[in-house]
Amino acid sequence: MFRKVLVANRGEIALRIIFACKELQVQTVAVYSVADQDSLHVRFADEAVCIGPAKSQESYLNIPSIISAAEITNVDAIHPGYGYLAENAYFAEVCETCNIKFIGPPARVIELMGNKVRAREKMVQSGLPIIPGTGILTDGKLDIQRIDREIGHPLIIKAAAGGGGRGMRVVHDLDELPEALAAAQSEAESAFGNSDVYLERFLENPRHIEFQILADEHGNVIHLGERECSIQRRHQKLIEESPSPIISEKLRRELGAQVVQAMKDIDYQNTGTVEFLFEPDGSYYFIEMNTRVQVEHPVTEMVTGLDIVKEQIRSAAGETLSYSQEDISFRGHSMECRINAECPDTFRPSPGRVTAYHPPGGPGIRVDSTAYNDYLVSSHYDSLIAKLIAHGVDRQEALDRLNRALDVFIIEGIETSIPLHKKIINHPDFIKGQFTTAFLDNLNGPT
Ligand code: MV4
């Protein structure tokens, strides 16, 4: 096992990683920006190093600063969390070069899956279905008739270097394709430094369902079932749950086994998520893979009883997985609400000082947060202030517990998404489990 790990992140995930390290008897180093001096991740780590000013570009994304902090404190490994440098293949490579273990898959795997076109090609080779689409479009003349014949429409233009909904554009009228393509290419160039785009048929009303996987460095791969992530707004998930209301035990077993095989085919290591879109008729398609621990990992921890972050660290330290697929069972139902500091009307971030904070507890409730009385939500970072996770014997009990916990969650001084969460989880269609990625657009009327 590692002696000391540097946590290259902030907020609730930095704290989550420090907790895992404490349980593993691993020393921790926090890094922080000047805006985060009073943060809990700084307080609870064994050591802390200031890596720059408030701006993420100059601190949490500052590779030389983070590597220097790692060298000075003499750590064995860096945990990148999610966001920031977590899926930066160059950063993983720099770590490898400096003899610091990057807690995640090897740089070449991050790079492979970071290119959404290559990821599609790889997953097809392993037998996963993909949405009809193209490879990277070259600048030559577009054969629109052929595209319509082979793919159909509406279409969605996606950036090869994108992901998570960034750099996407829907085209309903094929006459608009050439213009939309040029715009998408230039957007992709400025957002990712890579103008490559491709097309897929646009699915109008899909559900977004993802499989959690764990892999060690000895060829063992297991899956931890799926998470339903269809409740999202502007590509930010708001509520996630496991199991998905539409996945049968049989499908979980079959698709899970397919995903595991696909991961073995690419020599995947560490934790990862394989995303699918599901159509109303039950057909499903691979869309992309995330090569990191995700915000919503707790719902899977609650139904499987595993500690995904500890498994991730063990695996990076070269240990074999503590579990085989037969050891994994799914117990009850879990749901997570992402509570953001935001204005309920405009959904704009609403940073500021938290004047009173009292998180709920009681049976089946977990809160992952770095907030406290007097905590300052900075405008420099993501507006996520707490993840509220409920577990119950079934979906109804998880929902009841979530409702009751939202009712007694005290956060004063700033506006939060708690009222929106109450509205969503008490909506008849949500209660019935009947929703798609269009749910939130329809909730307040079309925008
Ligand atoms: C799609 C899609 C429909 N058809 N791809 C969004 C997140 C990213 N991982 C992939 N996403 C989508 N990909 C095809 N071929 C629908 C989504 C999607 C979405 C798209 C536009 C606006 C809101 C959306 C919400 C969820 C999913």
Side-chain angles (χ1 to χ4, degrees):
M1 181 47 64
F2 303 122
R3 196 180 46 82
K4 204 195 271 188
V5 168
L6 181 143
V7 182
N9 216 303
R10 65 178 302 283
E12 66 84 20
I13 195 64
L15 210 52
R16 172 72 188 86
I17 296 160
I18 291 168
F19 291 171
C21 289
K22 280 181 179 288
E23 292 175 28
L24 291 168
Q25 267 76 253
V26 173
Q27 299 270 302
T28 51
V29 177
V31 293
Y32 63 99
S33 74
V34 294
D36 280 339
Q37 285 183 62
D38 301 325
S39 293
L40 292 184
H41 77 285
V42 172
R43 181 161 168 171
F44 293 141
D46 296 300
E47 295 169 68
V49 181
C50 183
I51 49 165
K55 281 204 181 96
S56 294
Q57 258 326 315
E58 297 168 37
S59 49
Y60 298 105
L61 288 167
N62 185 337
I63 296 177
S65 232
I66 292 168
I67 295 291
S68 303
E71 301 277 3
I72 291 165
T73 53
N74 197 22
V75 299
D76 315 298
I78 294 182
H79 196 309
Y82 55 69
Y84 295 123
L85 299 169
E87 292 178 279
N88 184 317
Y90 171 72
F91 178 63
E93 203 175 291
V94 171
C95 291
E96 282 167 28
T97 309
C98 297
N99 259 319
I100 300 165
K101 181 72 186 187
F102 175 84
I103 302 178
R108 60 162 177 84
V109 177
I110 300 175
E111 195 169 315
L112 172 68
M113 289 295 132
N115 183 318
K116 307 300 158 187
V117 172
R118 288 179 64 206
R120 268 163 62 85
E121 288 165 5
K122 276 286 175 194
M123 293 303 104
V124 163
Q125 285 169 12
S126 295
L128 290 181
I130 58 167
I131 302 171
T134 66
I136 289 162
L137 294 170
T138 48
D139 275 339
K141 199 181 170 318
L142 274 178
D143 190 340
I144 292 181
Q145 272 81 43
R146 181 165 164 211
I147 287 170
D148 200 21
R149 205 166 52 241
E150 294 179 0
I151 304 171
H153 68 279
L155 290 167
I156 183 165
I157 308 172
K158 296 186 176 185
R166 296 177 314 150
M168 304 191 339
R169 186 179 279 255
V170 178
V171 177
H172 290 277
D173 181 348
L174 286 180
D175 293 341
E176 289 161 13
L177 184 58
E179 214 176 312
L181 265 182
Q185 283 168 331
S186 101
E187 269 170 31
E189 179 63 44
S190 50
F192 314 113
N194 175 352
S195 65
D196 288 349
V197 298
Y198 64 105
L199 300 174
E200 280 180 1
R201 196 179 70 235
F202 179 64
L203 310 183
E204 308 257 13
N205 245 331
R207 293 177 83 114
H208 181 146
I209 295 172
E210 57 190 28
F211 271 75
Q212 175 69 53
I213 68 120
L214 282 180
D216 64 20
E217 301 188 352
H218 310 280
N220 303 301
V221 183
I222 62 172
H223 76 85
L224 303 182
E226 79 287 357
R227 291 185 290 260
E228 166 75 58
C229 301
S230 297
I231 305 294
Q232 39 182 291
R233 191 187 56 216
R234 296 190 208 122
H235 305 298
Q236 291 283 73
K237 295 166 188 165
L238 277 175
I239 300 181
E240 305 94 349
E241 61 180 294
S242 186
S244 163
I246 64 155
I247 304 289
S248 67
E249 230 174 276
K250 178 166 177 280
L251 182 55
R252 177 173 309 110
R253 203 168 39 244
E254 290 171 2
L255 185 49
Q258 266 193 294
V259 167
V260 164
Q261 187 53 52
M263 292 301 102
K264 287 182 175 170
D265 291 346
I266 59 168
D267 294 320
Y268 196 78
Q269 295 171 10
N270 213 264
T271 184
T273 305
V274 181
E275 294 186 1
F276 294 89
L277 292 183
F278 274 69
E279 287 266 70
D281 69 359
S283 55
Y284 57 84
Y285 307 91
F286 165 82
I287 48 168
E288 60 188 67
M289 167 158 205
N290 302 305
T291 57
R292 60 165 192 276
V293 69
Q294 284 191 279
V295 177
E296 60 271 27
H297 76 276
V299 297
T300 299
E301 295 187 323
M302 300 289 263
V303 293
T304 59
L306 266 71
D307 185 318
I308 292 172
V309 180
K310 281 202 294 202
E311 282 307 311
Q312 196 183 8
I313 297 168
R314 286 193 182 110
S315 146
E319 294 184 17
T320 48
L321 282 182
S322 318
Y323 306 86
S324 64
Q325 192 65 55
E326 299 73 57
D327 298 329
I328 305 303
S329 57
F330 303 97
R331 215 187 104 256
H333 202 102
S334 178
M335 273 187 203
E336 172 182 273
C337 288
R338 295 191 191 186
I339 298 172
N340 294 311
E342 69 181 30
C343 170
D345 303 318
T346 62
F347 305 136
R348 292 257 155 68
S350 152
R353 197 163 295 274
V354 175
T355 54
Y357 181 80
H358 186 77
I365 290 296
R366 163 176 172 183
V367 177
D368 282 18
S369 172
T370 51
Y372 51 84
N373 285 320
D374 235 27
Y375 176 74
L376 184 65
V377 180
S378 166
S379 58
H380 290 98
Y381 311 112
D382 193 278
S383 55
L384 180 72
I385 39 179
K387 303 191 303 199
L388 171 62
I389 306 111
H391 182 258
V393 289
D394 54 19
R395 192 168 187 269
Q396 186 58 54
E397 190 177 45
L399 258 174
D400 292 340
R401 287 180 164 162
L402 201 53
N403 249 313
R404 164 285 269 181
L406 285 168
D407 279 341
V408 302
F409 204 145
I410 298 173
I411 306 177
E412 289 172 4
I414 56 165
E415 299 199 278
T416 76
S417 50
I418 288 178
L420 176 63
H421 285 300
K422 286 194 197 167
K423 185 169 167 184
I424 296 169
I425 71 170
N426 290 297
H427 190 286
D429 291 343
F430 185 84
I431 293 169
K432 281 183 271 183
Q434 284 170 9
F435 51 82
T436 69
T437 50
F439 179 86
L440 277 186
D441 298 335
N442 301 336
L443 190 63
N444 292 308
T447 41

